[in-house]
Amino acid sequence: MDPCTQGLLGASLSCSFSKKNQIKTASFCGFVGGLAPDLDIFIKSNEDPLLFIEFHRHFTHSLVFIPVLGLLVAAIIFILSFKKKISFYFYFLYSTLGVSTHGILDSFTSYGTMLYWPFYNDRVAWNLISIVDPIYTFILFFFFTFCFLRKSKKFCHFGLFFSCIYLVICLIKYKQVERIIEDYSVSIGHSIERILLNPTLGNNILWRTVYKYKNHYYINAVYVPYFGISRIKKGEKIEFINEEKIFPDLQSNSIQRNDIRRFSFFSQSFIYLHPEYPNIIGDLRYGTLPFDARSLWGIKVDINNPDNHVKFKNLRNFTNKDYIKFWSMIKGEF
């Protein structure tokens, strides 16, 4: 999720456990703790462009790392604090509560989070909520503001409760979309082998869906409004690629072959050859529009230099036409 939401959730949880005269300090610790796991954005390398995506949402987001980050955040706040009469344990408790929310909330999105590292090495992605969802953020902000102004933690309890209700609604939407795609695939004679359901940016009524059947991926957009008729828009058909067989000139032990494996792992194996750029493997989970194959990022493979790292490419190329089309789809105009 975006940093604002992460901080608000961390602050809300910490505040909900605090005493009335501790709300400000507990909220601050929770807010900073809620942001802390994203310190992994500083893990990067000019020589290895994939190091960033490999370690973002990695060990700093795992459940076992929560007390470690909580201790680090508490130590920094304690050292910089002018209120030395407040115990270190206080800072540690509320910072740790804030940290504890981060990885779990990120797991509700589609990007993938190493929530159970080092015991389970797959990236957890429940795909229930967009990485930016103004409704979810507003719920937290609204109740936290009243908590802060009224100095009553019951408002944070309300905020946490209604934010959880919203996630349940997102789960219901997910199941609706899943049923629609399953029925659609059967109607055209397809048997789904793998499926990805992804809410588009800022909402939970317009979804990007990708499923594999035989040697192709099928991309469709699904509209599931709160009131009204659901709709589906048929999208593009993309050929499936195997991370071990694509670009056969690359040796199995070459750096570029290993980079393809790393990118495939990051992309939950939803990779494909981008139709608009030569030698670029894209991440099919995200597109410019919910039904197209214009990925937002990818890697450029250079088979002539197999022992150099691949290049990470930002492929975002939104036009006014794309924004207009996306907004019309949000309104159900297919």
Side-chain angles (χ1 to χ4, degrees):
M1 294 291 289
D2 62 279
C4 177
T5 308
Q6 291 286 12
L8 281 171
L9 181 58
S12 296
L13 183 64
S14 294
C15 185
S16 68
F17 284 93
S18 69
K19 296 178 181 179
K20 186 173 182 179
N21 62 342
Q22 298 172 336
I23 284 178
K24 288 184 179 180
T25 308
S27 298
F28 178 75
C29 291
F31 187 87
V32 177
L35 298 176
D38 276 343
L39 288 170
D40 60 13
I41 63 173
F42 295 106
I43 303 176
K44 57 182 66 176
S45 168
N46 292 329
E47 290 73 31
D48 181 4
L50 295 190
L51 192 68
F52 170 77
I53 65 169
E54 184 174 10
F55 279 96
H56 183 42
R57 295 198 184 184
H58 200 280
F59 66 93
T60 62
H61 288 60
S62 71
L63 295 177
V64 298
F65 208 73
I66 289 172
V68 178
L69 267 181
L71 186 65
L72 176 63
V73 172
I76 293 173
I77 295 176
F78 182 75
I79 292 171
L80 298 178
S81 175
F82 294 104
K83 298 181 179 179
K84 298 299 183 182
K85 61 182 179 180
I86 297 178
S87 70
F88 178 80
Y89 174 76
F90 175 93
Y91 291 123
F92 174 68
L93 173 62
Y94 293 109
S95 297
T96 302
L97 284 171
V99 173
S100 69
T101 64
H102 191 113
I104 295 173
L105 182 57
D106 273 347
S107 296
F108 279 97
T109 70
S110 59
Y111 191 84
T113 304
M114 302 292 278
L115 188 65
Y116 305 120
W117 178 92
F119 309 107
Y120 179 72
N121 288 322
D122 285 351
R123 298 179 73 93
V124 177
W126 296 319
N127 296 34
L128 298 186
I129 191 170
S130 171
I131 57 172
V132 177
D133 190 308
I135 296 177
Y136 183 83
T137 304
F138 177 77
I139 291 171
L140 292 173
F141 177 77
F142 178 82
F143 286 104
F144 179 74
T145 300
F146 272 92
C147 169
F148 203 79
L149 294 177
R150 298 291 183 88
K151 295 183 179 180
S152 174
K153 65 181 183 180
K154 70 178 181 181
F155 289 104
C156 279
H157 294 158
F158 291 145
L160 293 170
F161 174 76
F162 285 112
S163 66
C164 288
I165 292 296
Y166 182 73
L167 290 176
V168 172
I169 293 172
C170 290
L171 174 61
I172 294 171
K173 290 293 182 185
Y174 181 97
K175 292 299 182 182
Q176 282 183 285
V177 174
E178 185 177 46
R179 185 172 60 252
I180 290 169
I181 285 297
E182 286 175 349
D183 291 345
Y184 171 76
S185 66
V186 170
S187 71
I188 59 176
H190 289 177
S191 177
I192 295 176
E193 298 167 17
R194 291 188 70 215
I195 190 169
L196 171 79
L197 310 176
N198 224 358
T200 56
L201 190 68
N203 73 98
N204 66 358
I205 61 174
L206 180 62
W207 293 65
R208 175 181 178 85
T209 72
V210 181
Y211 70 81
K212 181 178 179 290
Y213 172 62
K214 292 186 176 179
N215 292 319
H216 289 89
Y217 287 117
Y218 295 83
I219 311 168
N220 301 282
V222 177
Y223 175 69
V224 282
Y226 289 100
F227 306 100
I229 301 174
S230 298
R231 296 182 178 88
I232 183 170
K233 180 175 178 60
K234 182 179 178 181
E236 297 186 40
K237 173 183 174 182
I238 296 293
E239 186 175 355
F240 165 80
I241 65 172
N242 185 300
E243 63 190 54
E244 300 295 340
K245 296 180 180 179
I246 192 68
F247 301 116
D249 291 338
L250 291 177
Q251 296 297 314
S252 177
N253 61 349
S254 67
I255 290 177
Q256 296 231 346
R257 175 65 66 191
N258 190 53
D259 281 352
I260 293 174
R261 296 185 187 110
R262 293 165 68 197
F263 186 72
S264 178
F265 175 76
F266 163 74
S267 306
Q268 297 170 279
S269 298
F270 283 98
I271 56 173
Y272 71 111
L273 280 178
H274 202 290
E276 297 180 4
Y277 303 97
N279 292 350
I280 282 191
I281 296 176
D283 181 348
L284 199 56
R285 296 176 300 168
Y286 305 100
T288 303
L289 289 170
F291 56 86
D292 70 23
R294 292 182 291 158
S295 178
L296 302 185
W297 50 67
I299 55 172
K300 185 172 181 61
V301 178
D302 182 1
I303 60 175
N304 296 318
N305 294 284
D307 290 322
N308 291 337
H309 283 290
V310 299
K311 294 181 179 179
F312 185 81
K313 293 290 185 179
N314 186 338
L315 305 175
R316 293 181 179 89
N317 187 24
F318 295 98
T319 65
N320 285 335
K321 185 178 179 181
D322 294 326
Y323 289 118
I324 293 171
K325 180 61 178 177
F326 180 74
W327 182 243
S328 69
M329 294 183 74
I330 290 286
K331 295 187 290 183
E333 299 171 1
F334 274 46

